[in-house]
Amino acid sequence: MDLVIALLITTSTTAIIIVAVAWWLRPNSGISIDAPASNLPSIVVAGAVLCSFVLLYATKDRMGWATLLPVSSAIILSNWTAFALAVASGAAFRLPNRPFWRRGLAASLMAGLAMATLFQPVLQPVLRPVSGSNQWDSRQVCIQSHTNTCSAAAAATLLKSVGIEVTEAAMVDDCLTDARGTPSLGLWRGLSLATRSTPFRPEVLHTDVESLLRKGPWPSALVVGLPRYGADPIYVHRYGWDPGFRHSIVLFGRNEDGLLDIGDPSIGRETWSDEDLRVLWRGEGVTLVRR
Protein backbone atom coordinates (compact mmCIF):
# COMPACT_ATOMS: atom_id res chain seq x y z
CA MET A 1 0.00 0.00 0.00
CA ASP A 2 2.90 2.38 0.68
CA LEU A 3 4.04 2.06 -2.94
CA VAL A 4 0.51 2.56 -4.29
CA ILE A 5 0.11 5.81 -2.35
CA ALA A 6 3.56 7.00 -3.42
CA LEU A 7 2.84 6.22 -7.06
CA LEU A 8 -0.48 8.07 -6.89
CA ILE A 9 1.31 11.12 -5.49
CA THR A 10 4.18 11.08 -7.97
CA THR A 11 2.13 10.29 -11.08
CA SER A 12 -0.35 13.04 -10.18
CA THR A 13 2.51 15.47 -9.64
CA THR A 14 4.05 14.45 -12.95
CA ALA A 15 0.76 15.07 -14.79
CA ILE A 16 0.33 18.46 -13.11
CA ILE A 17 3.85 19.50 -14.10
CA ILE A 18 3.24 18.51 -17.73
CA VAL A 19 0.04 20.56 -17.92
CA ALA A 20 1.52 23.53 -16.05
CA VAL A 21 4.60 23.74 -18.27
CA ALA A 22 2.53 23.39 -21.45
CA TRP A 23 0.23 26.16 -20.24
CA TRP A 24 3.18 28.40 -19.28
CA LEU A 25 4.77 28.02 -22.73
CA ARG A 26 1.55 28.46 -24.71
CA PRO A 27 1.80 30.90 -27.66
CA ASN A 28 0.91 34.49 -26.79
CA SER A 29 -2.20 35.39 -28.74
CA GLY A 30 -1.27 39.07 -28.59
CA ILE A 31 1.88 38.63 -30.68
CA SER A 32 1.75 39.22 -34.42
CA ILE A 33 1.57 36.11 -36.57
CA ASP A 34 4.63 37.36 -38.46
CA ALA A 35 6.76 37.56 -35.30
CA PRO A 36 9.46 34.90 -34.94
CA ALA A 37 8.56 31.95 -32.73
CA SER A 38 10.07 31.86 -29.26
CA ASN A 39 12.95 29.50 -28.68
CA LEU A 40 12.04 29.16 -24.99
CA PRO A 41 10.30 25.75 -25.36
CA SER A 42 13.38 24.32 -27.10
CA ILE A 43 15.64 25.68 -24.35
CA VAL A 44 13.39 24.25 -21.65
CA VAL A 45 13.32 20.81 -23.34
CA ALA A 46 17.11 20.71 -23.63
CA GLY A 47 17.63 21.88 -20.06
CA ALA A 48 15.06 19.48 -18.61
CA VAL A 49 16.48 16.47 -20.48
CA LEU A 50 20.00 17.36 -19.31
CA CYS A 51 18.70 17.76 -15.76
CA SER A 52 16.99 14.35 -15.94
CA PHE A 53 20.31 12.68 -16.86
CA VAL A 54 22.07 14.42 -13.98
CA LEU A 55 19.34 13.35 -11.54
CA LEU A 56 19.33 9.81 -12.89
CA TYR A 57 23.04 9.21 -12.47
CA ALA A 58 23.78 11.41 -9.47
CA THR A 59 20.77 11.01 -7.17
CA LYS A 60 18.62 8.02 -8.14
CA ASP A 61 18.49 5.27 -5.49
CA ARG A 62 20.90 6.97 -3.11
CA MET A 63 20.52 5.90 0.51
CA GLY A 64 20.83 9.54 1.58
CA TRP A 65 17.30 10.17 0.30
CA ALA A 66 15.99 8.14 3.26
CA THR A 67 17.28 10.88 5.56
CA LEU A 68 15.23 13.53 3.76
CA LEU A 69 12.28 11.18 3.18
CA PRO A 70 12.32 8.72 6.13
CA VAL A 71 9.40 6.64 4.86
CA SER A 72 9.24 3.16 3.36
CA SER A 73 8.25 4.53 -0.06
CA ALA A 74 11.33 6.77 -0.37
CA ILE A 75 12.38 4.73 -3.42
CA ILE A 76 9.39 6.19 -5.30
CA LEU A 77 9.11 9.64 -3.74
CA SER A 78 12.79 10.43 -4.33
CA ASN A 79 12.64 9.81 -8.07
CA TRP A 80 12.84 13.39 -9.26
CA THR A 81 14.09 12.26 -12.66
CA ALA A 82 10.43 11.79 -13.56
CA PHE A 83 9.67 15.41 -12.69
CA ALA A 84 12.46 16.69 -14.94
CA LEU A 85 11.09 14.53 -17.78
CA ALA A 86 7.63 15.93 -17.07
CA VAL A 87 8.97 19.45 -17.63
CA ALA A 88 10.51 18.25 -20.90
CA SER A 89 7.18 16.69 -21.91
CA GLY A 90 5.19 19.88 -21.34
CA ALA A 91 7.79 21.97 -23.17
CA ALA A 92 7.99 19.49 -26.08
CA PHE A 93 4.29 20.00 -26.70
CA ARG A 94 5.00 23.71 -27.31
CA LEU A 95 8.00 23.34 -29.62
CA PRO A 96 7.71 25.96 -32.37
CA ASN A 97 7.49 25.37 -36.11
CA ARG A 98 6.48 21.72 -35.78
CA PRO A 99 3.22 20.02 -36.70
CA PHE A 100 0.87 18.94 -33.94
CA TRP A 101 1.57 15.22 -34.41
CA ARG A 102 5.32 15.70 -33.95
CA ARG A 103 4.86 17.81 -30.85
CA GLY A 104 2.38 15.30 -29.48
CA LEU A 105 4.72 12.40 -30.19
CA ALA A 106 7.68 14.10 -28.50
CA ALA A 107 5.58 15.03 -25.47
CA SER A 108 4.20 11.48 -25.22
CA LEU A 109 7.70 10.00 -25.40
CA MET A 110 8.92 12.19 -22.54
CA ALA A 111 5.82 11.46 -20.48
CA GLY A 112 6.25 7.73 -21.11
CA LEU A 113 9.86 7.86 -19.93
CA ALA A 114 8.76 9.73 -16.81
CA MET A 115 6.19 7.02 -16.00
CA ALA A 116 8.72 4.27 -16.72
CA THR A 117 11.20 5.69 -14.21
CA LEU A 118 8.47 5.92 -11.57
CA PHE A 119 7.20 2.36 -12.03
CA GLN A 120 10.62 0.75 -12.59
CA PRO A 121 11.24 -0.27 -8.94
CA VAL A 122 7.83 -1.96 -8.80
CA LEU A 123 7.97 -3.63 -12.22
CA GLN A 124 11.51 -5.01 -12.05
CA PRO A 125 10.72 -7.70 -9.43
CA VAL A 126 7.75 -8.74 -11.60
CA LEU A 127 9.72 -8.86 -14.86
CA ARG A 128 12.86 -10.37 -13.29
CA PRO A 129 11.58 -12.30 -10.28
CA VAL A 130 13.79 -14.07 -7.79
CA SER A 131 12.72 -16.19 -4.84
CA GLY A 132 14.22 -16.31 -1.37
CA SER A 133 14.34 -18.99 1.29
CA ASN A 134 15.12 -19.19 5.01
CA GLN A 135 18.59 -20.69 5.44
CA TRP A 136 20.70 -19.74 8.46
CA ASP A 137 24.13 -20.80 9.58
CA SER A 138 24.89 -21.86 13.14
CA ARG A 139 26.00 -18.32 14.07
CA GLN A 140 22.81 -16.44 13.20
CA VAL A 141 23.68 -15.29 9.68
CA CYS A 142 21.05 -15.63 6.96
CA ILE A 143 22.58 -17.32 3.92
CA GLN A 144 21.57 -15.91 0.56
CA SER A 145 19.77 -18.37 -1.69
CA HIS A 146 20.57 -16.55 -4.93
CA THR A 147 23.58 -14.64 -6.23
CA ASN A 148 21.70 -11.35 -5.97
CA THR A 149 19.72 -11.74 -2.73
CA CYS A 150 22.58 -10.66 -0.46
CA SER A 151 20.83 -7.45 0.63
CA ALA A 152 17.65 -9.29 1.55
CA ALA A 153 19.67 -11.85 3.53
CA ALA A 154 21.71 -9.10 5.21
CA ALA A 155 18.48 -7.32 6.18
CA ALA A 156 17.16 -10.53 7.77
CA THR A 157 20.46 -10.96 9.65
CA LEU A 158 20.43 -7.37 10.93
CA LEU A 159 16.83 -7.72 12.10
CA LYS A 160 17.57 -10.99 13.88
CA SER A 161 20.45 -9.33 15.73
CA VAL A 162 17.88 -7.16 17.55
CA GLY A 163 15.37 -9.95 18.04
CA ILE A 164 13.12 -9.45 15.00
CA GLU A 165 12.50 -12.74 13.18
CA VAL A 166 12.02 -12.54 9.41
CA THR A 167 12.92 -14.75 6.46
CA GLU A 168 15.04 -13.96 3.45
CA ALA A 169 11.99 -14.68 1.29
CA ALA A 170 9.98 -11.98 3.08
CA MET A 171 12.84 -9.52 2.68
CA VAL A 172 13.15 -10.32 -1.04
CA ASP A 173 9.57 -9.12 -1.48
CA ASP A 174 9.77 -6.09 0.82
CA CYS A 175 13.19 -4.96 -0.47
CA LEU A 176 11.99 -5.11 -4.12
CA THR A 177 14.79 -7.53 -4.95
CA ASP A 178 14.94 -8.88 -8.49
CA ALA A 179 17.29 -11.16 -10.41
CA ARG A 180 19.82 -8.32 -10.71
CA GLY A 181 19.90 -7.37 -7.05
CA THR A 182 18.37 -5.01 -4.51
CA PRO A 183 18.22 -1.22 -4.82
CA SER A 184 19.69 0.67 -1.88
CA LEU A 185 16.34 2.26 -1.08
CA GLY A 186 14.77 -1.17 -1.45
CA LEU A 187 16.89 -2.30 1.50
CA TRP A 188 15.64 0.75 3.39
CA ARG A 189 12.05 -0.16 2.53
CA GLY A 190 12.43 -3.74 3.71
CA LEU A 191 13.86 -2.64 7.07
CA SER A 192 11.21 0.06 7.45
CA LEU A 193 8.37 -2.39 6.91
CA ALA A 194 9.89 -5.09 9.12
CA THR A 195 10.37 -2.72 12.07
CA ARG A 196 6.85 -1.35 12.12
CA SER A 197 5.20 -2.06 15.46
CA THR A 198 8.62 -2.77 17.02
CA PRO A 199 10.82 -0.66 19.32
CA PHE A 200 13.29 -0.18 16.44
CA ARG A 201 13.51 1.87 13.27
CA PRO A 202 16.15 2.03 10.50
CA GLU A 203 18.57 4.92 10.33
CA VAL A 204 20.95 5.77 7.50
CA LEU A 205 24.62 5.84 8.47
CA HIS A 206 26.24 9.27 8.32
CA THR A 207 29.81 8.52 9.21
CA ASP A 208 33.23 7.92 7.73
CA VAL A 209 35.04 4.62 7.79
CA GLU A 210 37.39 5.59 10.62
CA SER A 211 34.53 6.59 12.90
CA LEU A 212 32.67 3.43 11.96
CA LEU A 213 35.71 1.35 12.87
CA ARG A 214 36.21 3.18 16.13
CA LYS A 215 32.72 3.52 17.56
CA GLY A 216 30.13 2.06 15.20
CA PRO A 217 27.14 2.10 15.24
CA TRP A 218 27.03 -1.69 15.39
CA PRO A 219 25.41 -3.81 14.14
CA SER A 220 24.91 -2.23 10.73
CA ALA A 221 24.16 -3.47 7.23
CA LEU A 222 26.83 -2.16 4.86
CA VAL A 223 27.18 -1.99 1.09
CA VAL A 224 30.67 -3.21 0.16
CA GLY A 225 32.63 -3.98 -2.98
CA LEU A 226 35.62 -2.97 -5.05
CA PRO A 227 35.54 0.13 -7.24
CA ARG A 228 35.22 -0.60 -10.94
CA TYR A 229 38.62 0.92 -11.63
CA GLY A 230 41.80 1.02 -9.57
CA ALA A 231 40.89 -1.98 -7.40
CA ASP A 232 43.52 -3.54 -5.16
CA PRO A 233 44.65 -6.67 -7.08
CA ILE A 234 44.94 -8.75 -3.91
CA TYR A 235 41.17 -8.56 -3.37
CA VAL A 236 40.57 -9.58 -6.96
CA HIS A 237 42.99 -12.48 -7.26
CA ARG A 238 43.22 -13.82 -3.71
CA TYR A 239 39.74 -13.13 -2.35
CA GLY A 240 37.70 -13.28 -5.57
CA TRP A 241 36.04 -9.85 -5.43
CA ASP A 242 34.86 -8.61 -8.83
CA PRO A 243 35.52 -4.89 -9.47
CA GLY A 244 32.26 -2.96 -9.67
CA PHE A 245 30.21 -5.70 -7.99
CA ARG A 246 28.27 -4.52 -4.91
CA HIS A 247 27.56 -6.81 -1.98
CA SER A 248 25.79 -6.42 1.36
CA ILE A 249 27.10 -7.60 4.72
CA VAL A 250 26.38 -7.03 8.41
CA LEU A 251 29.05 -5.57 10.68
CA PHE A 252 28.31 -6.86 14.19
CA GLY A 253 31.25 -5.14 15.89
CA ARG A 254 34.57 -6.52 17.09
CA ASN A 255 35.34 -9.98 18.39
CA GLU A 256 37.51 -10.80 21.39
CA ASP A 257 40.62 -10.63 19.18
CA GLY A 258 39.82 -7.10 18.06
CA LEU A 259 38.95 -8.14 14.50
CA LEU A 260 35.76 -7.07 12.77
CA ASP A 261 32.90 -9.54 13.26
CA ILE A 262 31.18 -9.83 9.88
CA GLY A 263 28.02 -11.61 8.77
CA ASP A 264 28.48 -12.32 5.07
CA PRO A 265 25.33 -13.76 3.43
CA SER A 266 27.45 -15.61 0.87
CA ILE A 267 29.54 -17.62 3.37
CA GLY A 268 28.34 -16.94 6.92
CA ARG A 269 30.23 -15.51 9.88
CA GLU A 270 33.81 -14.38 9.28
CA THR A 271 36.36 -11.82 10.43
CA TRP A 272 37.81 -8.84 8.58
CA SER A 273 40.71 -6.56 9.31
CA ASP A 274 40.23 -2.82 9.59
CA GLU A 275 42.01 -2.44 6.25
CA ASP A 276 39.52 -4.78 4.60
CA LEU A 277 36.67 -2.48 5.54
CA ARG A 278 38.61 0.61 4.47
CA VAL A 279 39.08 -0.92 1.03
CA LEU A 280 35.66 -2.49 0.57
CA TRP A 281 33.06 -0.22 2.17
CA ARG A 282 31.24 1.87 -0.45
CA GLY A 283 30.04 4.50 2.04
CA GLU A 284 26.41 3.37 2.29
CA GLY A 285 24.84 1.59 5.22
CA VAL A 286 21.92 1.44 7.61
CA THR A 287 21.56 0.53 11.24
CA LEU A 288 18.65 -0.02 13.62
CA VAL A 289 18.04 2.38 16.51
CA ARG A 290 15.44 2.53 19.23
CA ARG A 291 12.50 4.83 18.61
Side-chain angles (χ1 to χ4, degrees):
M1 182 58 70
D2 62 320
L3 297 180
V4 172
I5 294 173
L7 284 170
L8 286 173
I9 293 172
T10 50
T11 54
S12 298
T13 302
T14 299
I16 291 170
I17 291 173
I18 293 172
V19 173
V21 172
W23 182 85
W24 169 52
L25 295 174
R26 71 194 186 282
N28 191 333
S29 58
I31 296 179
S32 170
I33 194 171
D34 296 324
S38 171
N39 289 323
L40 182 58
S42 301
I43 295 172
V44 172
V45 169
V49 170
L50 178 61
C51 183
S52 70
F53 277 108
V54 172
L55 289 170
L56 180 65
Y57 289 104
T59 70
K60 189 174 187 295
D61 193 38
R62 302 295 184 184
M63 188 69 81
W65 278 111
T67 301
L68 298 175
L69 300 166
V71 293
S72 59
S73 56
I75 191 170
I76 302 295
L77 297 175
S78 65
N79 189 355
W80 290 7
T81 301
F83 301 151
L85 289 170
V87 172
S89 175
F93 189 70
R94 296 302 188 188
L95 288 172
N97 304 319
R98 289 167 176 81
F100 176 83
W101 71 268
R102 288 184 61 184
R103 292 186 284 114
L105 181 61
S108 299
L109 176 61
M110 296 297 175
L113 289 174
M115 292 298 123
T117 63
L118 288 175
F119 281 86
Q120 179 192 15
V122 178
L123 292 178
Q124 283 186 164
V126 177
L127 299 176
R128 298 193 297 260
V130 62
S131 59
S133 63
N134 192 31
Q135 303 174 43
W136 296 79
D137 75 353
S138 60
R139 302 180 65 190
Q140 307 303 305
V141 175
C142 183
I143 304 300
Q144 64 190 86
S145 57
H146 186 277
T147 305
N148 292 314
T149 58
C150 57
S151 292
T157 300
L158 179 63
L159 290 162
K160 191 177 184 66
S161 72
V162 297
I164 301 174
E165 300 283 345
V166 295
T167 66
E168 181 205 34
M171 287 294 96
V172 163
D173 292 337
D174 289 346
C175 293
L176 304 176
T177 302
D178 62 37
R180 292 187 179 178
T182 302
S184 295
L185 289 174
L187 173 61
W188 169 265
R189 178 176 187 264
L191 292 171
S192 297
L193 295 179
T195 53
R196 286 179 177 176
S197 304
T198 76
F200 296 92
R201 63 175 177 83
E203 183 175 273
V204 176
L205 293 185
H206 296 287
T207 186
D208 58 76
V209 67
E210 297 304 327
S211 296
L212 182 63
L213 287 168
R214 186 171 60 253
K215 58 184 180 180
W218 308 321
S220 296
L222 306 179
V223 177
V224 296
L226 290 176
R228 190 173 298 277
Y229 304 105
D232 188 335
I234 192 172
Y235 288 91
V236 178
H237 302 300
R238 180 180 296 181
Y239 301 127
W241 287 85
D242 294 325
F245 181 77
R246 290 161 65 93
H247 184 55
S248 294
I249 59 154
V250 174
L251 170 60
F252 292 107
R254 293 189 182 275
N255 64 16
E256 58 187 14
D257 297 321
L259 295 173
L260 298 178
D261 186 10
I262 300 293
D264 188 333
S266 64
I267 58 175
R269 206 89 171 212
E270 63 174 350
T271 57
W272 286 12
S273 69
D274 288 15
E275 187 60 24
D276 290 335
L277 193 67
R278 291 188 182 101
V279 171
L280 294 171
W281 187 37
R282 296 295 92 206
E284 287 191 335
V286 61
T287 189
L288 298 177
V289 298
R290 289 194 173 271
R291 297 182 186 277

